[in-house]
Amino acid sequence: MKVLIAGAGRLGTQIAQVLSAARNEVTLVEHDEDRLAELAGMPSVRLVAGDACEPALLERAGAPACDLVVAATGRDEDNLVIGLLAKRRFGVGRVAARVNDAENAWLFDQRWGVDVAVPAATPLISLIEEATGATDTVALLRLSKAGVEVIETAITGQSRAAGQLLGEITLPAGTVVATVVRDGRPTVPGPGVRLLPGDELLLVSHEATEQEIHAVFQ
């Protein structure tokens, strides 16, 4: 699946990391070049600098060939414009858009090219739902088309993985860490990342169960 994500904030970056880990072709568009520089080490994600509200930029970023466009900026007016351009100008099959202000929710429908409108509180638009259980390891969603499961685990002071380098942890077969969220910001995972209490990990796996992930980190 080819995916274009507009907005490299926490939400957009999480979507990009999870979908790229699930072997999708992901392009992340962001107008803030300093933010893009922070994400330069993100594996398997194409980064494009520019304003996604501009048709020429969307075309250059590959919107005409995309299966999914996600408008995940912090401005509702931008998300509506991006959604409308994606659907009406480029014929994208599925468009999802973040609703930042609940008072604007009524605008986010097919008249503006939006197939899926989700409030800002939802972590990953149309892909991952917020886990509401009390457990520290949660299977969030199975992406049946990609044949993988997305699993979240939270590191606490009692977790066996607390204080360890990510590279020191033996993951189950077919499992990768898509992102580590620390202090509300997603980071590009690498073997040198030391896990700290409060970290939240999103893992993508073709084989491991929720229980196996829990046993590794908790």
Side-chain angles (χ1 to χ4, degrees):
M1 183 169 65
K2 295 184 178 180
V3 183
L4 186 151
I5 302 163
R10 176 183 177 182
L11 177 62
T13 305
Q14 285 182 326
I15 296 172
Q17 290 175 314
V18 170
L19 290 184
S20 64
R23 302 179 183 179
N24 297 287
E25 295 183 29
V26 179
T27 298
L28 183 58
V29 178
E30 172 59 45
H31 67 87
D32 186 342
E33 294 190 8
D34 290 338
R35 175 57 176 162
L36 283 183
E38 294 176 6
L39 301 174
M42 186 186 301
S44 304
V45 175
R46 177 190 174 208
L47 302 177
V48 176
D51 185 353
C53 291
E54 298 179 0
L57 185 283
L58 284 177
E59 185 168 9
R60 178 164 61 86
C66 284
D67 303 294
L68 169 67
V69 165
V70 181
T73 79
R75 293 166 56 89
D76 284 345
E77 55 267 41
D78 288 354
N79 291 340
L80 287 170
V81 170
I82 293 165
L84 188 62
L85 287 171
K87 181 69 69 172
R88 303 288 182 242
R89 180 154 184 166
F90 298 113
V92 176
R94 187 167 181 80
V95 175
R98 174 183 184 177
V99 183
N100 297 281
D101 186 341
E103 293 184 0
N104 296 329
W106 64 277
L107 290 166
F108 286 74
D109 59 21
Q110 293 188 353
R111 291 173 299 174
W112 280 90
V114 177
D115 299 301
V116 179
V118 179
T122 302
L124 301 185
I125 290 178
S126 78
L127 299 172
I128 298 178
E129 298 177 348
E130 183 70 31
T132 57
T135 58
D136 45 29
T137 304
V138 181
L140 296 176
L141 189 69
R142 180 165 184 81
L143 304 177
S144 56
K145 188 173 182 179
V148 299
E149 191 163 21
V150 180
I151 301 172
E152 180 188 50
T153 189
I155 304 300
T156 69
Q158 289 71 47
S159 299
R160 69 177 64 192
Q164 292 190 40
L165 296 176
L166 194 56
E168 297 174 339
I169 297 172
T170 302
L171 297 173
T175 301
V176 296
V177 177
T179 186
V180 177
V181 180
R182 178 173 295 167
D183 297 327
R185 294 180 64 85
T187 61
V188 178
V193 172
R194 190 174 299 279
L195 299 179
L196 303 175
D199 287 351
E200 298 176 6
L201 283 68
L202 289 178
L203 301 99
V204 177
S205 182
H206 288 268
E207 301 179 31
T209 65
E210 177 183 341
Q211 292 74 23
E212 288 172 326
I213 296 297
H214 177 88
V216 169
F217 290 94
Q218 305 300 331

